[in-house]
Amino acid sequence: MIDFSPDDRLIDAVGLGEIRRKVDAGERLSFDDGVKLYEHPSLSAVGALAHRVRLAKHGRTTFFNINLHIDYTNICMYSCRFCAFAAKPGEERAYLMTPDDIEARLKGFRGTDLGEVHMVAGIHPDMGYDYYLDIVRAAKRGKPDVHVKAFTMVEIDHMLKISGKSEVEVFADLREAGLGSCPGGGAEVLSDRVWRAVFMDKIGPNDWLATARKVQQNGFKMNATLLYGHVEKVPERVEHLVKLRELQDETGNFMTFIPLAFWPYNTRLQKYGDVTTGWNDMRNIAVGRLMLDNFQNVKAYWVMMTPRLAQTAQSFGANDLDGTVTEERITHDAGTTAPMLLPRDELVHLIESAGFEPVLRDTTYETLQPA
Ligand code: V47
């Protein structure tokens, strides 16, 4: 396949020459560069720069996996303004899965090659520390070889607080129960202003970063997200990326960056705006790729971005399309138009029909298998 490398002169002509020079020299981009990339009128030039970094790191390979989401309870003691998923105890739509439910869900999973179960949920006011260990054990009983990627930093912080145990003991318990790694949710936007405006009930930027540091220092790999498209401003997105980059310099165990497109329906932020645009979605993928020089992978999460835009994102810096994502609820409650799952064949088709090469990966990008 012929690769039409973006022309340096075109990038330079729209005023991105200095940033292009840094990107080509492998130099780190500054906060101001990040703002410029977000605000620059030529999305195609920004995307072309991100694409050349993607090609240098991964060629035309795009990763995907076969995974199942279990959002084990929507009961949550917090009331974040961006969330349509959370319910209060006693509400008709409130639910809580028991460890037996989780074991049965994995045992009953139809389809082959399930590599990962992704488990995140609300913070239930009454569930004790043992519940968290029990649901991990239950997933492993249901399917012993599955990788359990579970618990955002909000859940980990909660466990550390309610366990009555030391940090080292809690992570040892989680490892013994079968936890494999942690997903990247709960960070939202690592900015105090945004935290105060939309998710002040739960841990803020400093605590999210401190918990992520503990997770990684205790030997677990994890992801990082950015929830964009609500009340945050461009400098706050850049602040978020710089904070992630600084922590990655220190710890090195972030696997993937995943920009999450905000869906406003059924949330208390609905009145502030509509869904994100494809323009904005591609921009967040591209700027993430360019600013996060120490992250190997950038994921286009089709559940929030839609499959068509996730496919396009492969040319804007993304090298991962997440997975089949059976049964996600958080974004579906907030109105995403994406389907409830993408069969493996469809994911492979999305990748191949855009001229990329699908590679089936495990959660930690260690076992790779051309599809
Ligand atoms: O933390 C909540 C976000 C996250 C909405 O690590 C919303 O591999 C959009 O973190 N509209 C959970 N987003 C999802 C998540 C994730 C997903 C896929 C892969 C990985 C990974 C992580 O969803 C939450 C929050 O940031 N969220 N409400 C909403 N209305």
Side-chain angles (χ1 to χ4, degrees):
M1 143 143 311
I2 301 170
D3 221 315
F4 295 101
S5 294
D7 189 331
D8 290 359
R9 278 169 304 170
L10 287 179
I11 294 172
D12 295 1
V14 296
L16 289 174
E18 182 53 25
I19 293 183
R20 180 190 63 74
R21 192 199 55 71
K22 285 191 190 175
V23 168
D24 286 345
E27 266 174 49
R28 178 156 281 190
L29 301 184
S30 66
F31 179 92
D32 290 345
D33 293 333
V35 172
K36 184 165 183 178
L37 288 165
Y38 264 120
E39 291 180 341
H40 197 279
S42 176
L43 173 63
S44 52
V46 173
L49 272 173
H51 189 54
R52 64 169 67 185
V53 176
R54 181 262 203 242
L55 288 176
K57 280 194 155 126
H58 298 282
R60 302 202 72 86
T61 295
T62 297
F63 295 123
F64 71 100
N65 75 352
I66 311 287
N67 59 352
L68 164 72
H69 277 223
I70 298 185
D71 299 325
Y72 53 88
T73 181
N74 62 354
I75 298 174
C76 189
M77 57 198 210
Y78 301 136
S79 303
C80 302
R81 297 177 71 208
F82 60 79
C83 184
F85 174 67
K88 294 297 166 205
E91 260 184 60
E92 203 180 322
R93 52 183 289 278
Y95 70 88
L96 168 68
M97 292 175 77
T98 64
D100 285 349
D101 294 334
I102 287 168
E103 181 178 346
R105 182 65 195 94
L106 276 139
K107 280 204 168 115
F109 183 81
R110 286 170 201 279
T112 50
D113 300 333
L114 179 69
E116 167 188 292
V117 59
H118 168 121
M119 300 203 296
V120 298
I123 303 292
H124 195 295
D126 304 323
M127 289 299 113
Y129 176 59
D130 285 344
Y131 172 76
Y132 293 94
L133 301 176
D134 285 344
I135 59 176
V136 176
R137 290 188 191 111
K140 292 296 264 186
R141 271 198 309 279
K143 194 168 187 332
D145 55 353
V146 82
H147 179 105
V148 181
K149 179 184 75 178
F151 308 134
T152 67
M153 296 309 99
V154 185
E155 289 150 296
I156 298 282
D157 169 76
H158 182 67
M159 278 177 234
L160 287 167
K161 284 177 180 146
I162 64 172
S163 64
K165 292 189 170 190
S166 72
E167 178 188 318
V168 170
E169 286 169 324
V170 168
F171 288 111
D173 286 350
L174 285 166
R175 183 171 292 106
E176 185 273 329
L179 184 71
S181 64
C182 292
E188 321 316 354
V189 184
L190 297 168
S191 139
D192 286 335
R193 186 197 72 86
V194 180
W195 171 59
R196 278 194 297 274
V198 296
F199 61 104
M200 202 174 161
D201 275 4
K202 67 177 183 185
I203 58 169
N206 289 341
D207 287 337
W208 190 93
L209 289 163
T211 309
R213 183 179 288 107
K214 287 178 193 165
V215 163
Q216 296 185 42
Q217 284 172 346
N218 282 277
F220 287 97
K221 293 189 174 174
M222 62 177 289
N223 292 331
T225 59
L226 159 68
L227 182 67
Y228 66 88
H230 46 97
V231 306
E232 89 289 356
K233 300 185 168 100
V234 160
E236 290 160 344
R237 288 185 197 163
V238 180
E239 179 187 345
H240 180 99
L241 295 174
V242 169
K243 284 178 176 163
L244 290 180
R245 190 170 73 181
E246 283 169 357
L247 184 56
Q248 177 76 326
D249 276 343
E250 202 186 311
T251 57
N253 275 321
F254 281 118
M255 299 179 285
T256 314
F257 171 64
I258 316 156
L260 301 176
F262 174 61
W263 282 83
Y265 304 112
N266 308 315
T267 77
R268 284 185 290 146
L269 294 180
Q270 191 168 340
K271 62 179 181 288
Y272 292 102
D274 211 341
V275 290
T276 64
T277 58
W279 173 271
N280 203 352
D281 295 333
M282 294 308 101
R283 182 81 63 162
N284 277 283
I285 290 281
V287 181
R289 170 59 84 192
L290 289 164
M291 289 298 290
L292 295 176
D293 53 11
N294 53 5
F295 276 62
Q296 191 62 14
N297 303 294
V298 175
K299 196 187 271 189
Y301 186 46
W302 60 262
V303 176
M304 294 185 189
M305 190 176 280
T306 76
R308 285 170 178 224
L309 284 168
Q311 179 186 43
T312 310
Q314 294 175 99
S315 298
F316 283 77
N319 68 300
D320 191 318
L321 252 49
D322 200 278
T324 48
V325 195
T326 312
E327 281 179 21
E328 192 275 351
R329 287 172 186 253
I330 296 171
T331 331
H332 286 87
D333 283 356
T336 181
T337 54
M340 271 316 252
L341 85 137
L342 272 188
R344 176 191 176 134
D345 289 354
E346 252 180 73
L347 269 175
V348 167
H349 175 69
L350 275 182
I351 296 167
E352 285 181 341
S353 59
F356 293 87
E357 290 148 16
V359 170
L360 179 66
R361 63 161 172 86
D362 64 0
T363 304
T364 52
Y365 301 82
E366 278 151 29
T367 310
L368 309 173
Q369 209 180 302

